[in-house]
Amino acid sequence: MIKGIVYIILSGMAFFIINFFVKLLGNPDNDVIPHLQKYPAHELVFFRSLVSFAISAAIIKYRGLPILGNNRRWLLLRGTAGMLALTIFFFTLHKLPLAIASTLQYLSPIFTVLIASRLFREKVSPMQYFSSLIAFLGVVFIGLNGLTGGFSSSESDLFWMGMGVLSAVLSGVAYNAISKLKETEETINIVIYFPMLALPLTGIWCLFDFTFPKGVEWLILLTIGVFTQIAQVCLTRAFLSTNTAVIAPFQYIGAIYALVSGWFVFNEQLEILSIIGVCLVIFGVICGTIFRAGKKRKKELEPGIDGETEVLS
C-alpha cells in the first residue's frame, strides 16, 4: 500500500512539473526564469512527442515488438484522442490560471465512466451520476467567477474553460481505448501511438509558427518530455501496486500544487468562487473514483467473478 501511495505522489509531482514548465514557456513574463521566449502550445506538444517517441521506439526495438501493434483501429483512436486532448490542454495552460486548467483536466475520470456506459454498456450507478453532478457544479462555480470579473477577460476565459472540458472528454475517450487494448497490446505499443501521430501533424504546424529554442530552453523542453515518461510509469505502477480506492485520492494532490504555484509564482489571484469550484471538482471526482473502486473490489471478492474481466481498470 505504501509503495502505491509513493508512486501516485511521484506521478502527481511529475505531472505538476510538466504543467509548470508548459505554463512557464507559454507565459514568459515571470521571475522564476526571466527572458524566456514564448512558445506556442503545438510546438510544446511537438517536442514532448519527439522525446517520448525516441524513448518508446528504443524500448520497442530492444524488445523486438511490432511498432504498429495488433489492434490498429483502437490504437489509432487512442492516439488521436490523446493527441487532441493534450494539445488542447496545453492551450488552456497558456490561457487560464494553472489551478483552473489543471482542475478541468481532472474531469477526465468522470467522462471515462460515462463514455464506458455508452461504449461498453457498463452500468452507471446513481452515486456515479451524483459525483459527476458535483464535479460539473464545480465547473459552474469556476465559470461564475469569470462572469463576475474574476478573470482577465470573461468571454475569452469561458471559451477556454469549454475547451478544457473538451480536453477532459477526449482524455476519457483515450482511457476507454486503452481499456479496450489492454488484452491485446503491450503498454509501450499503446504509448507510442500518441507521439507517432502527433509528430507529423504538429511538425507541419510548426512550419508556420515556430520558436527556435535557445540556451536553457532546450533543457526545459527536454525536461517536459522526460517527466512525461516518468509520470506515466509511476502512475501505472501505482495502480498495479494496491487497491485503487487507497491511492486515487492522492492523485489529486496535483491540484493543490497547481493552486499554490499559480498563486505564488504566476501571481494568479483566484476569487472565492474559483476556489470553491476547484474543491467541488476534486471532491466529485474522488467520490466517483472511490465508489467505482469499491464496486470493483466487491465484484473481485464474489465467487465466480474475475476482477480482470472488468472493462475499466
Side-chain angles (χ1 to χ4, degrees), residues 256-275:
I256 301 174
Y257 299 154
L259 181 62
V260 173
S261 65
W263 203 329
F264 288 99
V265 178
F266 297 104
N267 296 317
E268 297 172 346
Q269 301 296 324
L270 299 183
E271 302 293 333
I272 186 64
L273 286 178
S274 282
I275 295 174

Side-chain angles (χ1 to χ4, degrees), residues 117-136:
S117 69
R118 299 295 182 182
L119 192 63
F120 300 123
R121 298 295 187 268
E122 185 177 279
K123 186 178 179 181
V124 179
S125 69
M127 179 61 184
Q128 287 172 305
Y129 279 119
F130 176 73
S131 64
S132 300
L133 180 62
I134 293 295
F136 274 109

Side-chain angles (χ1 to χ4, degrees), residues 97-117:
L98 181 59
I100 292 176
S102 299
T103 299
L104 292 175
Q105 186 62 25
Y106 286 138
L107 287 170
S108 58
I110 297 292
F111 289 117
T112 300
V113 175
L114 296 178
I115 292 171
S117 69

Side-chain angles (χ1 to χ4, degrees), residues 157-222:
D157 286 320
L158 288 174
F159 169 79
W160 286 110
M161 280 181 57
M163 295 303 289
V165 174
L166 176 59
S167 173
V169 172
L170 290 169
S171 294
V173 173
Y175 295 152
N176 276 286
I178 291 172
S179 298
K180 182 72 174 180
L181 292 165
K182 67 180 181 181
E183 299 297 332
T184 62
E185 307 297 332
E186 294 287 340
T187 300
I188 197 65
N189 284 111
I190 299 173
V191 170
I192 200 171
Y193 258 76
F194 173 95
M196 191 161 57
L197 292 173
L199 274 176
L201 293 177
T202 55
I204 293 173
W205 198 345
C206 285
L207 292 176
F208 301 95
D209 186 10
F210 184 79
T211 300
F212 193 85
K214 61 181 182 180
V216 72
E217 294 166 359
W218 285 106
L219 180 60
I220 294 175
L221 292 168
L222 180 63

Side-chain angles (χ1 to χ4, degrees), residues 7 15 23 43 50 69 95 173 183 191 202 212 227 278 286:
Y7 275 132
F15 277 120
K23 181 74 173 178
E43 185 175 344
L50 186 63
K95 303 295 184 179
V173 173
E183 299 297 332
V191 170
T202 55
F212 193 85
F227 271 88
V278 168
I286 288 176

Side-chain angles (χ1 to χ4, degrees), residues 13-305:
M13 292 175 65
F15 277 120
F16 163 69
I17 291 171
I18 296 164
N19 298 344
F20 178 81
F21 281 121
V22 168
K23 181 74 173 178
L24 208 61
L25 291 177
N27 300 269
D29 296 329
N30 63 86
D31 298 325
V32 182
I33 306 177
H35 310 303
L36 291 175
Q37 300 180 94
K38 184 173 182 177
Y39 285 76
H42 61 269
E43 185 175 344
L44 297 177
V45 175
F46 172 80
F47 278 108
R48 181 263 190 206
S49 302
L50 186 63
V51 175
S52 180
F53 181 82
I55 296 173
S56 300
I59 294 173
I60 286 177
K61 183 177 181 180
Y62 175 77
R63 296 179 59 185
L65 300 171
I67 193 168
L68 295 180
N70 300 307
N71 194 340
R72 297 175 185 177
R73 180 183 300 176
W74 281 91
L75 284 168
L76 185 62
L77 176 62
R78 182 266 180 271
T80 302
M83 174 191 63
L84 292 174
L86 183 73
T87 303
I88 295 172
F89 176 55
F90 277 13
F91 271 107
T92 63
L93 282 173
H94 286 187
K95 303 295 184 179
L96 295 172
L98 181 59
I100 292 176
S102 299
T103 299
L104 292 175
Q105 186 62 25
Y106 286 138
L107 287 170
S108 58
I110 297 292
F111 289 117
T112 300
V113 175
L114 296 178
I115 292 171
S117 69
R118 299 295 182 182
L119 192 63
F120 300 123
R121 298 295 187 268
E122 185 177 279
K123 186 178 179 181
V124 179
S125 69
M127 179 61 184
Q128 287 172 305
Y129 279 119
F130 176 73
S131 64
S132 300
L133 180 62
I134 293 295
F136 274 109
L137 185 61
V139 176
V140 171
F141 269 84
I142 296 172
L144 287 174
N145 187 79
L147 289 174
T148 56
F151 297 159
S152 57
S153 172
S154 59
E155 183 178 350
S156 173
D157 286 320
L158 288 174
F159 169 79
W160 286 110
M161 280 181 57
M163 295 303 289
V165 174
L166 176 59
S167 173
V169 172
L170 290 169
S171 294
V173 173
Y175 295 152
N176 276 286
I178 291 172
S179 298
K180 182 72 174 180
L181 292 165
K182 67 180 181 181
E183 299 297 332
T184 62
E185 307 297 332
E186 294 287 340
T187 300
I188 197 65
N189 284 111
I190 299 173
V191 170
I192 200 171
Y193 258 76
F194 173 95
M196 191 161 57
L197 292 173
L199 274 176
L201 293 177
T202 55
I204 293 173
W205 198 345
C206 285
L207 292 176
F208 301 95
D209 186 10
F210 184 79
T211 300
F212 193 85
K214 61 181 182 180
V216 72
E217 294 166 359
W218 285 106
L219 180 60
I220 294 175
L221 292 168
L222 180 63
T223 300
I224 291 172
V226 171
F227 271 88
T228 297
Q229 207 78 1
I230 293 173
Q232 294 292 344
V233 170
C234 288
L235 187 66
T236 302
R237 289 184 177 179
F239 282 95
L240 291 175
S241 297
T242 187
N243 191 282
T244 305
V246 175
I247 61 173
F250 292 90
Q251 187 176 6
Y252 304 100
I253 292 177
I256 301 174
Y257 299 154
L259 181 62
V260 173
S261 65
W263 203 329
F264 288 99
V265 178
F266 297 104
N267 296 317
E268 297 172 346
Q269 301 296 324
L270 299 183
E271 302 293 333
I272 186 64
L273 286 178
S274 282
I275 295 174
I276 292 173
V278 168
C279 293
L280 285 173
V281 170
I282 296 172
F283 178 75
V285 175
I286 288 176
C287 285
T289 303
I290 291 177
F291 179 81
R292 183 164 152 259
K295 183 179 176 183
K296 178 182 176 182
R297 180 62 178 169
K298 183 179 179 181
K299 285 189 176 183
E300 288 174 347
L301 294 175
E302 291 178 3
I305 297 180

